């Protein structure tokens, strides 16, 4: 049995064509089904539906053989025990620093002020500001980061941006680009060895189907 871990929403939708290219079709839609284990057209392949940030953990421990996870999530997780053979080039966005439109970020940084930064991506934020030599107090949030600067919880946020519409709608501006983000295929290293005959052809089919 090959178990593939996916999260609902854009990753599931954008991974489906790649699965199809490998001859794998989901028999149920996770958006309408309450099942967490979804059968496929192949008796030896199943999909499990987990939180986006939990995908690396399932694959790391071998509960899933393969998964699809955003680079944002992989950076936070650290990638221990994971083989990352393919950039699938899906769910593309950017990791950015954003502040209120009326906040003078450059002079705050220049003056060496201690910056309060709210984010779900604590590790990414810590690494980014440490590399710049900017002192920060990090505040861990689990969602809706855009709210934090508006109500005085923080000076800045570190968050994913694609169109920038959410920032604009909340009177925020992006001031720094940290990284380009896309989703990666992750494979359990032991599974790759033990189930090489099953997994390698899937990897080859995914690689061929990636839209550059
Ligand atoms: P949850 O909603 O369960 O807390 P999440 O918000 O991280 O998890 P999604 O919003 O579905 O889940 O994001 C899943 C992945 O999609 C992220 O890890 C990231 O790699 C990517 N992603 C997030 N936001 C965007 C975006 N605006 N545009 C493109 N890709 C994105
Ligand atoms: Mg979400």
């Amino acid at each position: 049995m090959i178990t593939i871990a996916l999260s609902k929403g854009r990753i599931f939708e954008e991974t489906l064509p790649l699965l199809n290219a490998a001859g794998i079709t989901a028999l149920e839609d996770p958006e309408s089904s309450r099942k967490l284990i979804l059968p496929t057209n192949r008796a030896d392949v199943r999909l499990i539906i987990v939180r986006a940030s939990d995908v690396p953990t399932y694959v790391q421990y071998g509960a899933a053989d393969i998964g699809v996870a955003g680079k944002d999530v992989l950076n936070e997780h650290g990638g221990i025990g994971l083989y990352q053979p393919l950039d699938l080039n899906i769910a593309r966005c950017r990791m950015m620093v954003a502040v209120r439109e009326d906040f003078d970020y450059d002079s705050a940084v220049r003056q060496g002020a201690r910056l309060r930064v709210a984010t779900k991506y604590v590790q990414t934020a810590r690494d980014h500001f440490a590399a710049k030599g900017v002192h920060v107090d990090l505040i861990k949030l689990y969602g809706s980061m855009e709210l934090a600067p508006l109500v005085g919880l923080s000076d800045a946020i570190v968050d994913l941006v694609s169109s920038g519409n959410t920032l604009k709608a909340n009177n925020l501006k992006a001031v720094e680009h940290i990284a380009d983000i896309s989703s990666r295929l992750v494979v359990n290293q032991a599974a790759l060895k033990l189930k090489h005959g099953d997994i390698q052809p899937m990897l080859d089919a995914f690689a061929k189907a990636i839209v550059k």
Side-chain angles (χ1 to χ4, degrees), residues 10-11 51-52 70 72-73 91-93 120 160 162 181:
R10 58 170 68 84
I11 288 189
R51 228 18 217 275
D72 52 322
V73 161
R92 285 165 54 94
C93 51
K120 181 164 140 182
L160 295 174
S162 47
I181 301 293

Side-chain angles (χ1 to χ4, degrees), residues 7-11 14 50-53 69-73 90-94 120-121 142-143 160-163 181-183:
S7 55
K8 277 196 213 182
R10 58 170 68 84
I11 288 189
E14 296 189 39
V50 304
R51 228 18 217 275
S53 46
K71 190 68 185 165
D72 52 322
V73 161
I90 60 171
R92 285 165 54 94
C93 51
R94 286 156 294 147
K120 181 164 140 182
Y121 302 103
Y142 293 88
L160 295 174
V161 178
S162 47
S163 68
I181 301 293
S182 57
S183 291

Side-chain angles (χ1 to χ4, degrees), residues 10-11 14 52 69-75 87-97 120-121 124 145-146 158-167 174 176-184:
R10 58 170 68 84
I11 288 189
E14 296 189 39
K71 190 68 185 165
D72 52 322
V73 161
L74 290 168
N75 286 342
D87 179 351
L88 299 176
N89 209 24
I90 60 171
R92 285 165 54 94
C93 51
R94 286 156 294 147
M95 187 68 75
M96 306 285 281
V97 181
K120 181 164 140 182
Y121 302 103
T124 300
M145 269 81 85
E146 295 86 358
V158 167
D159 198 7
L160 295 174
V161 178
S162 47
S163 68
N165 288 340
T166 307
L167 292 182
E176 246 165 26
H177 173 268
I178 299 179
D180 288 325
I181 301 293
S182 57
S183 291
R184 314 297 163 108

Side-chain angles (χ1 to χ4, degrees), residues 6-41:
L6 299 173
S7 55
K8 277 196 213 182
R10 58 170 68 84
I11 288 189
F12 187 84
E13 283 153 26
E14 296 189 39
T15 301
L16 274 189
L18 299 170
L19 289 174
N20 289 342
I24 300 162
T25 315
L27 297 182
E28 274 176 72
D29 176 1
E31 301 299 338
S32 52
S33 171
R34 286 165 187 270
K35 284 188 192 162
L36 299 173
I37 301 179
L38 302 182
T40 72
N41 62 316

Side-chain angles (χ1 to χ4, degrees), residues 32-93:
S32 52
S33 171
R34 286 165 187 270
K35 284 188 192 162
L36 299 173
I37 301 179
L38 302 182
T40 72
N41 62 316
R42 278 180 51 176
D44 64 333
V45 180
R46 62 180 180 174
L47 309 180
I48 62 171
I49 304 301
V50 304
R51 228 18 217 275
S53 46
D54 290 334
V55 167
T57 307
Y58 277 85
V59 177
Q60 172 190 357
Y61 288 99
D65 301 296
I66 295 174
V68 176
K71 190 68 185 165
D72 52 322
V73 161
L74 290 168
N75 286 342
E76 290 297 306
H77 172 269
I80 323 120
L82 302 177
Y83 174 52
Q84 298 183 33
L86 295 173
D87 179 351
L88 299 176
N89 209 24
I90 60 171
R92 285 165 54 94
C93 51

